[in-house]
Amino acid sequence: MTHQDHIRHALREIERTLRDSVFWQSAPPQASAFTSTEPFCIDTMSAEQWLQWVLLPRLHAMLDGGVPLPQALAITPYFEEALTGDINDIAPLLEQLRALDALFVPADVQGERDA
């Protein structure tokens, strides 16, 4: 599997986990919510909305278009703070987000971890 294949798999797992959770939404936020200039659209969307309607489609589009992916990604800390509710609903999603973040560890940091 290529690195991109691993990322696609992680994205599909996040979507599956979202679909199986209380966080899945069948309808997107209003169009105006997507015009936010704030990180994570924090002023117009909930964390789970941003994940479902912005991040997942954007990363899929980047992979489909051959656009260079971010060198690093660390979204789990945001979701650890932003998600509220039953830990049994939150924990599976956080696990999948950690797996995605791990695929974006810069090579120099990964080398330090392996040393």
Side-chain angles (χ1 to χ4, degrees), residues 7-108:
I7 293 170
R8 281 187 196 278
H9 176 74
L11 296 175
R12 285 191 300 270
E13 287 301 304
I14 291 168
E15 183 174 336
R16 182 193 55 77
T17 303
L18 272 173
R19 284 183 184 275
D20 293 343
S21 77
V22 299
F23 300 117
W24 183 257
Q25 296 183 2
S26 58
Q30 299 222 357
S32 61
F34 292 90
T35 63
S36 173
T37 58
E38 295 295 319
F40 305 102
C41 297
I42 198 167
D43 59 335
T44 60
M45 294 185 194
S46 65
E48 56 271 20
Q49 286 176 317
W50 178 81
L51 179 62
Q52 180 180 342
W53 300 103
V54 177
L55 182 68
L56 293 178
R58 189 171 292 166
L59 287 176
H60 277 295
M62 291 174 80
L63 288 165
D64 293 345
V67 176
L69 295 168
Q71 293 297 309
L73 188 71
I75 59 172
T76 305
Y78 169 62
F79 284 92
E80 289 172 338
E81 293 295 320
L83 294 177
T84 60
D86 188 317
I87 190 66
N88 293 318
D89 293 327
I90 296 170
L93 184 54
L94 291 178
E95 180 181 333
Q96 296 302 325
L97 294 172
R98 283 186 197 101
L100 179 64
D101 280 351
L103 294 171
F104 286 89
V105 174
D108 57 334

